[in-house]
Every structure is written in C-alpha cells, then in structure tokens.
Amino acid sequence: MIVKMRRTASADDIQAVEQRLHELGYQTGKLVGTEITLIGVYGDISALPQGEIFEMAGVEELIPISRAYKRAAQKGDIINPIYTSFPIGNVVVGGSDLVVVAGPCSVESEVQIMESAQMVKEAGCSVLRGGVVKYRSSPYSGWEGLGADSVEDLRQALHYIVKAGKEFGLPTAVEILDHTMVSEYEDAGVDCLQIGEPNSRNTSLLNRLRDTSLPVIHKRGTSLDSEAYLLWVERMMTKGKENIILCERGVMSANRYTRNTLDLGSVAAFHYHLSHLPIAVDASHGTGVRDLVHPLTLASVFAGASVLLVEAHPNPLIAKSDGFQGLFPEQLSRLVTAAEATWKLRTELEPLYTPSAVLEKAYDQRVAEDRKRLFG
Amino acid sequence: MIVKMRRTASADDIQAVEQRLHELGYQTGKLVGTEITLIGVYGDISALPQGEIFEMAGVEELIPISRAYKRAAQKGDIINPIYTSFPIGNVVVGGSDLVVVAGPCSVESEVQIMESAQMVKEAGCSVLRGGVVKYRSSPYSGWEGLGADSVEDLRQALHYIVKAGKEFGLPTAVEILDHTMVSEYEDAGVDCLQIGEPNSRNTSLLNRLRDTSLPVIHKRGTSLDSEAYLLWVERMMTKGKENIILCERGVMSANRYTRNTLDLGSVAAFHYHLSHLPIAVDASHGTGVRDLVHPLTLASVFAGASVLLVEAHPNPLIAKSDGFQGLFPEQLSRLVTAAEATWKLRTELEPLYTPSAVLEKAYDQRVAEDRKRLFG
Amino acid sequence: MIVKMRRTASADDIQAVEQRLHELGYQTGKLVGTEITLIGVYGDISALPQGEIFEMAGVEELIPISRAYKRAAQKGDIINPIYTSFPIGNVVVGGSDLVVVAGPCSVESEVQIMESAQMVKEAGCSVLRGGVVKYRSSPYSGWEGLGADSVEDLRQALHYIVKAGKEFGLPTAVEILDHTMVSEYEDAGVDCLQIGEPNSRNTSLLNRLRDTSLPVIHKRGTSLDSEAYLLWVERMMTKGKENIILCERGVMSANRYTRNTLDLGSVAAFHYHLSHLPIAVDASHGTGVRDLVHPLTLASVFAGASVLLVEAHPNPLIAKSDGFQGLFPEQLSRLVTAAEATWKLRTELEPLYTPSAVLEKAYDQRVAEDRKRLFG
Amino acid sequence: MIVKMRRTASADDIQAVEQRLHELGYQTGKLVGTEITLIGVYGDISALPQGEIFEMAGVEELIPISRAYKRAAQKGDIINPIYTSFPIGNVVVGGSDLVVVAGPCSVESEVQIMESAQMVKEAGCSVLRGGVVKYRSSPYSGWEGLGADSVEDLRQALHYIVKAGKEFGLPTAVEILDHTMVSEYEDAGVDCLQIGEPNSRNTSLLNRLRDTSLPVIHKRGTSLDSEAYLLWVERMMTKGKENIILCERGVMSANRYTRNTLDLGSVAAFHYHLSHLPIAVDASHGTGVRDLVHPLTLASVFAGASVLLVEAHPNPLIAKSDGFQGLFPEQLSRLVTAAEATWKLRTELEPLYTPSAVLEKAYDQRVAEDRKRLFG
C-alpha cells in the first residue's frame, strides 16, 4: 500500500505517519518528490487500521498496490496457478470436464421446459437453464416470465424446471432478481443461482447471496472493466463464499452488428492472470445472433472458459422471449459435439502455453549481448 | 431501396415520384402512414439515378435496404458462401491453409530483422512482418522507426526486411502510412501492405491503394462498427481490387485491463455473415499483454480467422517499440504449433456448423402444432 | 406498428393477417418486397391484441413505430411541448424555478448532516441530499453508510437527514437501494427517493416504486442509450406515476480523464425532443473532479436541465466517501449564484430557440427555385 | 520520472542506475518493495538521456510523472492559468471575444458558397467554413466535394470559398485531408486549416502541419481519451507551432440517439486544467440533429469553449452532404445572438469560479478540529 501525502503536508506530518506505521509493525519506504511524498508500506496489510492512518494530518489517499479483490484473485502464481472447482448439483465446474449449461431463455410452460430438458439432455449438456422471471427492456413486451406475478407463480415455475431437471438427471440454474426470494429458490431445489447483467451491481442481491450455499453464476455488467467487475464478485465472497462462476456475456462498444461485444480478452485475463474462479461465457447474449453462437462458443473454450451458457428452444420461432438468439435443437446438439472436441484439444495443447515468467529471467540475462549483436 | 417522403409532401409529389420510378422500369410498393409515406423500390437499383429521385419535390431520404458494401459483402448465400482467396507472395490466404504473419513490431537493424526472419521461419510461420515507420502515440517516444526520417532511410529499411524475407523464403508485410510512398514499397519488393488502425479511415491512403496490385491488410478502427468498417474497406474496392484482408485488432470498450477489446463476435460476423474476404486477427494489439496472445490467437481461429498476426522478437525485452506485447521466440514457436492444431480441428468440425436458414422452414411449418403442444 | 412477415410466409398467411387486422378495426398498408412483406397498421394500437397477431402463421416480428415509452414521451409536440411539474416537499421541479439539490455524498453523523443542511441553505439551494447506505465499488472501502448495517441504523440515519432538512426548511432526497425499504423512507418523512446508477435497471426496485407517491430521481445507467433508458423509466410509470425526474450523471466512453462522460447531448434530447419529465444533471459524478463541477453544472442548464445535483461537504477533505468530488462550502455558494444567473439567461433566451418544424415547410416549398439558383 | 526495475533486477543493477543518475546531476528517491524497486528521478528531465537509462541492465520501464504533452499543457498554474491567443485572418481566437465559425458542410457551387458567406456574415459570425473534399463514410454517397477529383478542381473550390470570404470580410477555415496539398491551401489564401475526425491520428498530415504558419483546428477522434488526444496535438507542436485550436465534436459511447456523444466534460478539463490552447466545440457533428445544435452550442460556452463550429446552409433541405444537421439561416442568426449573450454572461461570472487550490490549505488546516466536531 502507498500512503500519498498532501502537497500541504508538513515534514512533521510525514514523520508522524511513518512512526505510527513502524509502531504497528510495518516496514516503510519513502519517495520524496518536489511536490508530494509517497510512503510505501510493505507486507500484508490486511490487519492495518487504514481508517486511522487515513485520518492522520496531511494524508491525502491510501493507494492499494496488491489487487483489491483478494478472494477472487488468482491463487498460486502465474506459472503454477491453482484453480477452484465445486459442484452444481452432481456436476463439477472448474474441473477436468467442460460444462454446458443450456435451455430456453424462459420457462414458458410445464410441457415446454420438460421438452427443453429432454433436448438439453439428448444434446449432451450437463445443466438445464431457464428463467422464471424475465423482465425485459420494455415494460410492454408482454411476457415477463411464468413466475413474475406472485410468489405462488414463482413457486410453480421453479417447480416446473426443477421437476424437468430431475426427470432427465440435470441440475438446474435459474436467474434470481430479488434478494427476498433466495430462500424460495433454495426451497424449490434449484441447484445454481444466476445474477443477470442488469443486476450485476445490485448490492442488496450481492450482499444476500453471501449467505447461500448454492453456487452462483455472476454475469458481468456491460459497462464494467474486468477488474472493476471482480470487485463486485468479491462482495459476495467477503464471508468466505467460494462457489462463484464468473460470466462474460458481452460489453458495450462501438459495435452495433452484434447485440453486445463479447470480450474474450477478459475471459483469458480472468483465467490466465486474475482469478481462480471458473469462467463461463454466454455467447447467446454475447452476440444476440443465433448463427454466431456456434463459432463464438468454440472460441470461448480456447479463450479460457470452462462453462458454456447456451440458449436453445424446442422451437425458437415461438419462444416468448429472445427467440432470435435461441438455437434450434439440431444446432445445440452439433454445437455440444464440437465444443467437446475443442475442449479435448485445449486440454492437449495446454502444455504449449508458456507464461513469460518462465522465460523472462533467461532473456533478461542475455540483454547486454543481444543488444550488442542486434544493434552493434 | 425505400424512398421516404417528407411530412409536408403533397399527394402530387408522391405520385410524381412513383411515376418516374415506373418510367425508369422499377416496380414499387407504398406504405401510406398518417404522417409519412414510404415508397418501396424493388429489384437491382445499381443503375437507378438516385440523385434525380432525391432531388424531386417532397423527397426526404433514400434508405438503402441491401447492404451498402456491395463488393466487400458475402458472395453466394449463408448456406453456400463463396470465399475469396489470393496470394501474398507465394502464400495463399483465404484458402485451405492457416497463414501466420509474424515478426517484430519494427525493423530495428539489419541484424535484428534477419534474426527475426529466422525465428519466424523456424517457428513455422508463413509471412514476415515488421514496421519501418512506427509513429507512436507520443511524439517523444524517441523511436519512430528506421525509415521515418527520409525517403532514403525508408528505402534502406524496406530493403532490410525484403532481404531478410528472401533469405528465409518468407513474403513480407509492411505497414504503410503515407499515400505518396506506395510505389516505394512496390519497388522495394514488399509483398503485402498494411493499413494501421490510426489510418483506418485515411481516405487519401485508401483511395491511393485502389490502384496497387499488392494485397492489403486493412485494420479496423477502434471506434468503428463492423459494418461501418466494411464501408471503409469497400472504398478500396470500387475499381475492382479484391485482394484485401480484413483485420480485427481490438475496439474501444469499458474494459481497461487489456489494451483494446478484441471483438471476435465481429470476426465471426465477417466470416459467417457479412463478407467473402479473408479475416485476420491481431491478438498482440488486441490484448497488449504478451501472455494473453496465445489463448486469444487460438480463440480467433474458431471465431473465423484464417490469418493470424503475431508480434515476436528475438529478445522482446530490448525491443524499441511495443516489447511488452512481443512474444519470446519459444512462445511463438509453441503458439504456431497450437494454432495449426486448432485450424485442423476447425476444418474437421466445419460440417457441424448449421446456419439457421437450413432449418428455418421446417420449424416454421411446425409452429402451429408446436404452439398447441407446448402452450395448450 | 409494422407486422414483418417471415420469408417463408405464404400469400394466404399474409392475407389472413390483414383480414384479422381489418376485423379488429384497423386500417393497413402493405409493402411487398421480393423477399419479405411488411404490413403497416395505422392509428392507435394500444388496444390491439399484439400477442394474437404475433402468433399467427408467418408472422416474424411486430415492429413498433411510435415511441415505445408512451408515458415518459413528450406530450404536445416539438413546436408546443407540454412539460410536467410536481413538488418535492414544498419545492416545485419542472416549473419556472431552477432547483439545486445539494449535500454530502453520505450522511456521516448527526452534526455533519446538520452543518451540511446549513451550508446548503445558506448557499441558496432548495433540496438537501445525502446517502444513508453508500455501497462502494470495493467491499473493502470501509464506509458503507450510517444506515447500512441494520434497519435500526437505517431509521436513525434517515431521521438525522430529515431532521436536518426540517431545521433549515429543506425537503430531502435520499438514495434507496433495496425495494423492501421503501416504506421506511416514506415513514421517516423523506421527500424524494433516488435510484442510483448501479440500480438503474434493478427491476425489483423499479416495480416497487410504481406504488410510492414520493417523487423519484432515476439515474441513467452508464451503458444505456438515451431511449433505452427511457424504457426503464417507463417501467415505473405503467400504473400512472408521473413524478419522476430523469437524471444524467455520465456514461461510459473512451474518455479516462473524467470519471464518466457527461452526456449533455442526451439531456438536450430529453428536454427538447423526447420527454415531458424534468431533467436533472449530476456533474459531481459526471466528472468526478471537484474543479470541473462548476463549468459542467452551468453548461447543463443550457443543455436543458432544470434540476442540478451537486455534492458538497462542510470539509470535503474529511468526507468518508467521494470527498474528491465534493465542493467546498464557498464553491457551492458561488456555483449557486452562477447557476441562478445562467437559468435566468436561459429563460430570457428561450424564444430564440426555433425547432425546424417551424421553418421546414417554407424551405421545402423553395426547394425547386433554390436548386435552380444555387446549382444552375 | 520513475524508473521501474524488473523483478529480476539485482542490487547491483539498481545501484548502477542510481549512480548513473547522480552522475548526470539528478537527485533520486527509492521505494524498495518486496517484489520490485522504483527509483524516483526529481526535477526537469527534459535533458535526461532516457534511452541510455532504459538500456541499463534490470530496467523495465520509464514512467513519466509530469504530463507527456509539454507544449500543449497548461501554462501558468490552476489558480493563474495563462491562455494563448492568435489570429485566424483578422479574427482573434482565445481572446476576449467569442468566435463563431459557420458555413455549409461543403462548398457546392460558387453561388452557394457566396450566399452562405452572406448568411454567415448577416448572422454575425466571424469565420466562414466549408469543405472542398468531403469523403463520406460510404464510397457510394455520390457527392465527395467540389475539389475531390483533381488538383484543378481543388484549386477552383478553394478559390470559390476564399473569394466568398473576401467579399464579406470573413476569414475562411477549410478541412485538409492530404498532406501533399498543404501548399495549395496556403497559396489559395485559406486562413485556417482543419483536421477532420477521421484524420485525427493521421501522422503524415500532423507531421506536415508542423511547418505551416496557418492556424489549425484539430478535431479529436471519437475513440481518444482527452489526454491521449493532447499527445496527438502535441505532435504538431514539437517544432514550436502554437496556433492550434482544440476541437471536441463527440466521442463514441452507449448513446445511439445522437450521432456522437459530445464530451463537454473534456472541454472543461481542457480549458480549466489541461491546456493553454483555445477550445472549439462542433455541436453539429456532436449531435447530428439540427434541433439539438442550439442548446448544445450554448452549453459549450459554459463548459469552456471560446470557438463555436456550426453548420448552416441557405437551404439545408437541398444540401449535398449532412443537410440533416445544417441549420436554417434563421436558426443560425438566432443561435449567434444567444451565444453572444451566454459568452457575455460567462465572462461576468468567471470570478465566481474558484479552483480548489485556492481553498485547500485552509481546509486542510481545519481537518483535526472539523473531525472532532463532526465525528466526535
């Protein structure tokens, strides 16, 4: 951590801060500029009384140096990363198998979700998804989900999807929008909760989910930097919760042709640099174009995803919501076949990935001779 | 095309427009609203005198319906696309082989580019890249490329890279920034020109490149929608030029962690929907992080890229520009091995990709029965 | 509304749709293309059974033509707009007076909010603002607001600000994050609720606020197009609620220097084109730089704002949150003086604003002669 | 400047760097972290041989602390800024008068630009603008400007606008796209050159403009951060050129309703914090909506603009390019009247603007007592 002193801080102010840090057992360094002074505080600062230091005379700001998202951050190091795995029902995410979470945008009827479950199972997917409350961008879209109007409706809709999942041996993942309904989802037997993109920074919901034992898929907001997003993920983890799946589903950019801009660079950053949590990609929302879901889903696997979210419907032409991006059953089935093959290849090719840290020292030692040889 | 009439247009105005269109041999339709009238013009409008129609009384706007980038647009149809292939030197792009274009950010010395060519060749790449004029974001960065200061320097730098390419049997691709220098590049024996991102909409340059027979890699600007970008590509094609490679190297978004946001959704859109031209991806600029180049390059292959641009250097720690994103030689070599394997798999999996148009009619005919069964 | 038929629709399908629309009492038009047919439906479609039409064979999509946000949309027309005004406590917004809503980012203590109220009153502002629950981007920021930890704390914090407001005759505006707490705010005597940017699309909260009689300031999300935002505003209005204040506080863009990019073009679009609701601008969050709040606040007045949100603190150097953007008391006071002068001038200059609709017909009638004179 | 050492740097490497800096006459500071060491270099580093230091063993990066755009940066300080003023023809920009630059998007005929000049003069504007080469987003737009096809055409078109300017005593500002044509503009008697947004980073053009004595309006690119933009401006200033006008005309954001998102926050940042150069705002391109030009232009004045770019046409309904955003003559005239009144008020209100630096010390000295009083 760096303590930035104000331009107006006196030498006494600076000395007092250093002394207090030493009393607290910290080593410090100092960079005295012509205008401002920075005091570096070394080591693990998790027990440092930051408020007290911040309130000392002349202190302007405490600047964190290590990543602010401690629990979401990578465990191990870049050369030997340690990844987290945990179950959704009886399906393990973050492990050696690719996990495909598929289903319709929303649960539309008992028959529809049952047929969807069959389609999902036959295609070879592992988890059934389906929304029970589907608020749309317009309040006049008509369809807001089977469970939107009352708690009784919500229970009914949850019951349908859980039953369909059980019938075909599929754990279920369902979006939750209201923090007061968590126990309804738990009681209904849902296996995984999902935070939708519009609620990516809904603190009431994030705070409440600290306390559920269910795994959570947390979708990144379209205006969030990847590290800013990890801070919102971190909010759910402050009490120890670890079974969270990061989810990229597109950000806002200059692009108009696709519904959103799927940010696979951040997916690679999450997996290879920033976090120990499993990463999901939702190419259905990420493109909003049915025919682009296939190539983008396969690309996601190589970018670092181990969980794939795919919308599909027994007949997407009559889907009550987002049918334009839902796959036809044949497309889902072929996509899963292809995704499994890409996953297998990624696993085989993994030894070829070589972090720079493995090579850097050797090249640094060659710098002088390389300069001489190349530049004379 | 749709002719949108002004709110103030009279019935006579509307009738006059329809009559003129009929005289010109076009069929029309009409949508008469309470406020405005739209006149639809059917068929191939390439010979329609648009200026004349636009100037008629009461006409507000001519709205194109078919894509405005005719020459860059997909040939064939979504089910049976026809793709274009052409050579860079003796290397075919857009064909059955993956093409990796690799090399340092800039040509730094005769020895450096010679060693780079050897590295590129040994890694199994097909084309050597290297900049000779490398203007940077800051005018004070110091290094602006070996060929920046005079025409003589430019010739020298071009000579170095062409010679290195010849020595190792590699065609060369070099960025061009100044439309008056095209013949210098041609005369020096460069095999492919590249338009950098900052010049993506430099009309003097685009207009001049209409007349070169050399293939051109045209990088998309960071603030351009994918279809807006195709219109700038189209500018080079109006006289018949077809040997152009689209290139995605990242757009602007909320993301800060990577240097740019690599838009692989647009890559898939270009390849599967929008264009017959080969697509390149530059994951080096697209991420700006050396260790993310590997996963993003592999992901690009599945998104639809057939050309890969990769920066690498004999020792990136001493590169004069953009060393932080240049691969170490071992990384380049392993990446090419992995990329070839992903390309092979993509080719094998291609039959599984099923455009919706193949299935749509059958599902449309089932709509009534599916509705009844699913929703009662 | 336009009914877009599928490419696969038969002539019978099309005729059936037209016939049903006529039975329902609607006039239609038709645009028959080589690939698809569009059926235009004229007049007020608010009673049209859209679901029934959508489910007819061959129908692909219903495309709204008039604005989808009916209740938030402009009343009157561009030449003679009708604006809505309503009270916050005893202060009228959307009327002839400029309204400045000011106060600290958060209520930090009973003394602090009392001194803040005095500062706000003395500066000449009309409404006191202050947050009682201030979740930050990082869960480790320490300070989450005086009312964050329990309902009792929330009540206490609300009591402090309401009391301070009463002491100085200022109505109060307080952000609400949790839909289950609305009645707490109402019972405490808060005069206006505010939806923060992270909750701009929190449907549980928006749905709940349909039922409060308190006015609501609804902040636009950083990734929302201006019309997309109005659809989220519309959600609160579907049961008749009208006392809503639009609020621009910055969107996401390429810009990094300011915290957000204040979109005053949308403010003008809201006020002059799109909506009858009063518009607020929050230049404190919109810039995130204390010294830029003054010029941007004045600019907002001319862009169309009639409500100004400004953060200020008795001593921003010790503010527990967002102190870097809070004004010093002297700055607030001078800003209000300047803002009143700009408001007065805007009111005087308003007759000079001339919508094109006033002039368009005359210029359209001159088109032929102007063409002849200018272009020969 | 900070010298960041590599993780692999040895103690000897670090000491060698410090020693060399001391030999060169610099004072240094050091911040020794557990992983990396930073060496601070104090004072004016303009003569420091950065390349030499960068090439020393163990050095990873040189991080500039002071602003990288030295010549474009603010002169004086925040409390007492020093601004630059210079003439366009006989009109002074950056001085005590507001300057309105108005005219049609493009010179369409001798008569049209003559009538435009009269309109501009009668409206009370100071400078006449008009494009002679107007490449559009689509190569098929038809109209590419009167001067697009040959050097002879260019001369003719430049002659028309210069003649029109002279006739009405108006200096002229014309966009230049091709660096080889600068002398044509100079010889024709144009008074000010303009770099359009697509060429904002066209280095050939920027480098060439270092050598012209004509003032230049440099439009900011839509994907450029405000400080990144200043670095491109700086490129023109490295040889001493100072008569440059910054120009904001909208950036890319989530907003769709306006053509671009006018970033008035950056305008304020340029004027009050970052630069001594005059700032122009082009609300015509910044909104792309004729009826929003009026409010946004007035807002720009308060944000910090002293130059206003406005498109207008004798009859915008027949303009060959961008007519939808060109003002009718009556609108231009009324806008100028309003803009002069806002400028007058801004000048009167300027004493109320109070930079924080004026107040900061006093508040910092009160911190302890304020804390005690407010928080107990």
Side-chain angles (χ1 to χ4, degrees), chain D residues 182-256:
Chain D
V182 173
S183 58
E184 293 291 339
Y185 283 62
E186 291 171 334
D187 295 348
V190 166
D191 300 291
C192 179
L193 302 177
Q194 180 185 301
I195 302 170
E197 187 277 326
N199 287 295
S200 194
R201 295 173 290 152
N202 179 334
T203 39
S204 301
L205 186 55
L206 294 169
N207 288 346
R208 172 66 183 83
L209 292 175
R210 289 168 174 163
D211 298 319
T212 184
S213 61
L214 290 181
V216 174
I217 298 171
H218 184 180
K219 290 194 167 182
R220 174 186 178 193
T222 55
S223 62
L224 287 180
D225 170 53
S226 46
E227 295 201 274
Y229 162 58
L230 288 179
L231 270 171
W232 293 98
V233 172
E234 183 84 5
R235 180 169 284 275
M236 274 191 290
M237 303 177 81
T238 51
K239 288 188 185 170
K241 184 177 183 62
E242 287 234 322
N243 53 348
I244 295 170
I245 301 169
L246 305 179
C247 183
E248 165 62 28
R249 45 77 77 206
V251 296
M252 199 280 289
S253 85
N255 197 45
R256 302 281 184 271

Side-chain angles (χ1 to χ4, degrees), chain B residues 58-315:
Chain B
V59 172
E60 181 170 348
E61 200 182 352
L62 304 189
I63 305 170
I65 296 301
S66 53
R67 281 166 184 157
Y69 43 93
K70 295 175 192 305
R71 291 167 183 268
Q74 199 186 55
K75 298 176 178 182
D77 58 35
I78 281 187
I79 299 178
N80 297 298
I82 298 167
Y83 292 109
T84 290
S85 75
F86 52 83
I88 298 179
N90 59 351
V91 171
V92 175
V93 294
S96 55
D97 291 334
L98 179 70
V99 173
V100 185
V101 178
C105 177
S106 55
V107 177
E108 295 164 344
S109 74
E110 189 170 5
V111 178
Q112 177 258 11
I113 192 65
M114 194 61 78
E115 282 198 17
S116 296
Q118 183 171 1
M119 168 189 75
V120 163
K121 184 68 181 184
E122 289 176 1
C125 309
S126 318
V127 180
L128 176 65
R129 56 147 289 149
V132 294
V133 181
K134 293 305 301 181
Y135 295 123
R136 320 286 297 285
S137 304
S138 166
Y140 303 120
S141 299
W143 174 250
E144 301 209 319
L146 216 52
D149 288 344
S150 67
V151 179
E152 289 67 36
D153 286 354
L154 180 70
R155 283 178 193 154
Q156 182 72 80
L158 290 172
H159 172 67
Y160 288 158
I161 185 168
V162 170
K163 188 177 157 198
K166 289 213 168 114
E167 179 78 21
F168 292 95
L170 295 165
T172 50
V174 185
E175 182 179 349
I176 183 158
L177 293 95
D178 182 337
H179 65 93
T180 66
M181 293 294 135
V182 173
S183 59
E184 294 291 339
Y185 283 62
E186 290 171 334
D187 294 349
V190 166
D191 300 291
C192 180
L193 302 177
Q194 181 185 303
I195 303 170
E197 187 276 328
N199 287 297
S200 195
R201 294 173 291 153
N202 178 334
T203 40
S204 300
L205 186 56
L206 294 169
N207 288 347
R208 172 64 183 85
L209 292 175
R210 289 169 173 162
D211 298 319
T212 184
S213 61
L214 290 181
V216 174
I217 299 171
H218 183 180
K219 290 194 167 182
R220 173 186 179 194
T222 54
S223 63
L224 287 180
D225 170 53
S226 46
E227 294 200 275
Y229 162 58
L230 288 178
L231 271 171
W232 292 98
V233 172
E234 183 83 5
R235 181 169 284 275
M236 274 191 291
M237 304 179 80
T238 50
K239 287 188 184 169
K241 184 177 184 61
E242 287 236 321
N243 52 348
I244 295 169
I245 301 170
L246 305 179
C247 182
E248 165 63 27
R249 45 79 75 206
V251 295
M252 199 280 289
S253 85
N255 197 45
R256 301 283 183 271
Y257 187 79
T258 52
R259 191 177 182 186
N260 294 287
T261 298
L262 202 63
D263 180 8
L264 295 186
S266 286
V267 171
F270 292 143
H271 184 64
Y272 290 101
H273 277 196
L274 299 178
S275 181
H276 62 93
L277 297 170
I279 328 288
V281 170
D282 171 358
S284 300
H285 285 90
T287 64
V289 181
R290 188 185 292 134
D291 283 0
L292 299 181
V293 172
H294 185 105
L296 266 294
T297 297
L298 301 189
S300 302
V301 171
F302 275 105
S306 58
V307 180
L308 303 173
L309 265 57
V310 184
E311 292 198 359
H313 191 283
N315 187 342

Side-chain angles (χ1 to χ4, degrees), chain C residues 77-94:
Chain C
D77 56 37
I78 280 187
I79 299 179
N80 296 298
I82 298 166
Y83 292 109
T84 290
S85 74
F86 51 83
I88 298 180
N90 59 351
V91 170
V92 175
V93 294

Side-chain angles (χ1 to χ4, degrees), chain C residues 108-109 115 225-226 255-257 273 290-291 299 315 329-331 334 353-354 356 363 370 373-374, chain D residues 109 115 225-226 255-257 273 290-291 299 314-315 329-331 334 353-354 356 363 370 373-375:
Chain C
E108 295 165 344
S109 74
E115 283 198 18
D225 170 54
S226 46
N255 197 45
R256 304 281 184 272
Y257 187 79
H273 277 195
R290 188 186 292 135
D291 283 0
N315 188 341
E330 291 89 335
Q331 290 176 320
R334 291 170 197 171
Y353 176 74
T354 314
S356 297
Y363 277 87
D370 282 352
R373 194 179 69 255
L374 297 182
Chain D
S109 74
E115 283 199 16
D225 170 53
S226 46
N255 197 45
R256 302 281 184 271
Y257 186 79
H273 277 196
R290 188 185 293 134
D291 284 359
N315 188 342
E330 291 89 336
Q331 290 176 319
R334 290 169 198 171
Y353 176 74
T354 314
S356 297
Y363 277 88
D370 283 353
R373 193 179 70 255
L374 298 182
F375 308 135

